Amino acid sequence: MSNDGINFASRMDELPPYLFGMINKMKMEKRRKGEDVIDLGMGNPVDPTPEAVIDKLTEVVKDPKSHRYPEASGMKHLKREISRYYKKDYDVDLNEDNEVICTIGSKEGISHMCLALVGPGDTVLVPAPAFPIHVYAIVIAGGNVIKIPMDSDKAFIKSIVNMCESMVPKPKLLVLNYPHNPTGKLGNLDLFKEMVALAKKYNFMILQDFAYAKINFDGYVAPSILQVPGAMDVCVEFGSFSKSYNMAGWRLGYCVGNKRMIEGLSKIKGYYDYGIFSAIQIAGIVAMRDCDDEIVHQCEIYQKRRDLMCDILKSMDWEVDVPKAGMFLWVKIPEKYSYMTSYDFAIEMMDRANVAVAPGTGFGDEGEGYLRLALVENENRIRQALKQMKRALWDIDKEKGL
């Protein structure tokens, strides 16, 4: 019993402090004091939503009919547009009535799906390092998480097989996330075929987070796991409007795939929420129908920022793997700063350089020693941020005699 009589549920003991929330709090405190903090920490697009999408929202929001409760599973016309998109881009046939559902962003959808699929005693396999919700949605649902290191595809597959053959009961669910956040690791159809085959052999389900489906570079095209024959038997895939259309704050996403899994998510959502504001859903239809060119243009912008950031970091003697997808660089902190944790390093950059970065440990112990740097700021801001970081590191080197 706490002194004030407020007692949280035991599941709260399983949730560590949210590091990104702590970093964001520091950022906002500095900004309230008038300091200019350049944010490379959060994947929060600063580029505008396509004008056609904004125009449609402002038109529809004036209609009183749009102010009513929407259908929790999503408007039929939006679900039809999502199914058309999968047919056009991936040659995947979806039944809009029972194989497509709209969500309040992919993060909410993944959380609610875990409540539908996972309970006490269930084990879920999650690649590591991991975006936090991929771990803690399972923890909140009462399940157990086993992290699988993201080594080579061959080693990753071998680890999954070992878990399935040695555990009793066997894992119930595998979480995938390609293109991967935070590492930028890419998926491919051969890997997905292996995953689907293992899911059928060992009787587990697959949840694939496909939030960065369209943020691709250098000619790479991210595949959907649903392109694999038989994937619909065991798998769902989550998508989001946040990154492709710069609609992060709009909170619009979707889940497609196995109709029984979709049915479970729909049942949970029926109790938890009333769906997405109708005007946002209608604007989403315009995005999917009319804004392919804007996605191409946005990818060109991100690619230029990626190239700039990689070039500058390399000139600072940082090890950099150039990503072919996503909105981030996953970079190893130079060895001479190994006396600091990634969180300590991030705090130093906030304090000394007024630059927010995401510490690798925020993605689990496997991310220690790394930073995730977002490509959301414009090129001038990126140059300035890295200049300020470089100056801060010089100061640290002098103090430490490095």
Side-chain angles (χ1 to χ4, degrees):
M1 174 75 71
S2 65
N3 292 334
D4 61 4
I6 305 300
N7 297 289
F8 293 133
S10 59
R11 71 174 63 88
M12 294 293 283
D13 296 333
E14 302 297 319
L15 302 178
Y18 193 56
L19 290 187
F20 303 127
M22 295 162 66
I23 296 286
N24 285 335
K25 182 179 179 182
M26 292 178 63
K27 175 184 69 181
M28 296 313 299
E29 287 174 351
K30 276 179 164 280
R31 286 179 172 173
R32 277 193 287 268
K33 294 176 183 177
E35 297 183 46
D36 179 21
V37 178
I38 302 175
D39 191 356
L40 304 183
M42 192 173 181
N44 190 10
V46 300
D47 300 299
T49 304
E51 189 173 345
V53 178
I54 297 171
D55 289 345
K56 178 55 69 172
L57 174 74
T58 55
E59 172 193 330
V60 177
V61 79
K62 295 176 183 178
D63 183 351
K65 292 180 182 178
S66 70
H67 303 166
R68 303 171 183 173
Y69 288 128
E71 184 179 350
S73 66
M75 298 178 69
K76 186 175 182 65
H77 290 298
L78 177 55
K79 293 194 288 184
R80 180 178 301 153
E81 207 62 43
I82 293 166
S83 67
R84 287 173 176 169
Y85 155 68
Y86 261 80
K87 181 62 176 177
K88 173 175 68 76
D89 284 30
Y90 306 114
D91 197 26
V92 171
D93 293 306
L94 294 170
N95 185 323
E96 66 201 55
D97 294 323
N98 57 21
E99 293 174 339
V100 181
I101 188 170
C102 299
T103 61
I104 308 172
S106 57
K107 188 175 181 181
E108 170 271 325
I110 290 168
S111 302
H112 283 166
M113 180 63 85
C114 287
L115 289 176
L117 301 180
V118 179
D122 292 333
T123 297
V124 180
L125 305 180
V126 179
F131 187 60
I133 199 62
H134 296 155
V135 172
Y136 292 105
I138 295 151
V139 171
I140 292 168
N144 304 310
V145 175
I146 293 181
K147 297 180 180 180
I148 306 294
M150 292 195 75
D151 299 322
S152 67
D153 288 352
K154 185 176 180 180
F156 184 62
I157 292 166
K158 184 178 180 181
S159 295
I160 293 172
V161 171
N162 288 342
M163 290 295 105
C164 290
E165 292 188 345
S166 62
M167 291 185 63
V168 178
K170 290 179 171 55
K172 187 174 185 181
L173 178 68
L174 168 67
V175 175
L176 298 177
N177 172 210
Y178 295 101
H180 186 253
N181 177 14
T183 68
K185 190 172 177 60
L186 304 178
N188 59 75
L189 286 177
D190 288 338
L191 175 64
F192 290 158
K193 287 175 184 176
E194 291 274 7
M195 296 296 103
V196 170
L198 292 177
K200 292 189 173 188
K201 180 177 180 179
Y202 295 108
N203 195 30
F204 61 78
M205 297 170 285
I206 298 174
L207 185 162
Q208 149 76 342
D209 183 354
F210 202 27
Y212 298 93
K214 293 299 179 183
I215 310 300
N216 301 166
F217 314 125
D218 304 325
Y220 172 75
V221 178
S224 164
I225 194 171
L226 298 182
Q227 291 175 264
V228 174
M232 293 283 290
D233 298 334
V234 293
C235 182
V236 291
E237 186 163 74
F238 283 87
S240 170
F241 287 68
S242 296
K243 310 305 189 293
S244 300
Y245 304 106
N246 293 328
M247 294 172 65
W250 298 53
R251 307 314 304 136
L252 182 60
Y254 53 85
C255 179
V256 298
N258 181 270
K259 63 183 179 181
R260 282 284 289 153
M261 297 169 74
I262 298 285
E263 179 185 340
L265 175 56
S266 179
K267 187 172 184 179
I268 287 287
K269 283 177 63 62
Y271 283 95
Y272 268 97
D273 68 69
Y274 285 108
I276 306 103
F277 182 32
S278 296
I280 290 177
Q281 294 192 60
I282 293 171
I285 293 171
V286 171
M288 297 200 89
R289 190 176 290 168
D290 299 332
C291 296
D292 283 356
D293 289 344
E294 279 84 349
I295 295 177
V296 173
H297 177 62
Q298 189 63 52
C299 287
E300 291 171 350
I301 291 173
Y302 282 137
Q303 185 166 328
K304 289 179 181 177
R305 294 173 184 170
R306 178 204 66 174
D307 292 343
L308 173 65
M309 191 179 288
C310 287
D311 288 345
I312 296 175
L313 287 170
K314 288 176 182 177
S315 75
M316 294 166 57
D317 295 325
W318 286 51
E319 293 180 25
V320 180
D321 289 328
V322 181
K324 289 185 176 292
M327 295 169 52
F328 309 101
L329 297 189
W330 181 246
V331 294
K332 187 172 180 60
I333 298 171
E335 184 65 29
K336 67 177 177 177
Y337 304 112
S338 61
Y339 61 88
M340 287 190 275
T341 66
S342 61
Y343 181 72
D344 291 338
F345 192 96
I347 296 301
E348 290 282 13
M349 293 303 99
M350 181 73 79
D351 285 342
R352 294 173 181 260
N354 273 358
V355 176
V357 298
T361 191
F363 304 94
D365 293 342
E366 300 79 6
E368 186 54 87
Y370 287 81
L371 299 178
R372 192 193 69 175
L373 305 177
L375 303 174
V376 293
E377 294 279 7
N378 66 44
E379 292 178 43
N380 287 334
R381 297 276 284 174
I382 288 172
R383 286 191 187 93
Q384 185 63 34
L386 295 178
K387 181 180 179 180
Q388 291 170 197
M389 288 177 63
K390 186 175 183 178
R391 186 182 303 124
L393 292 172
W394 279 344
D395 290 342
I396 292 171
D397 289 349
K398 288 179 183 177
E399 292 172 11
K400 296 291 182 179
L402 298 176

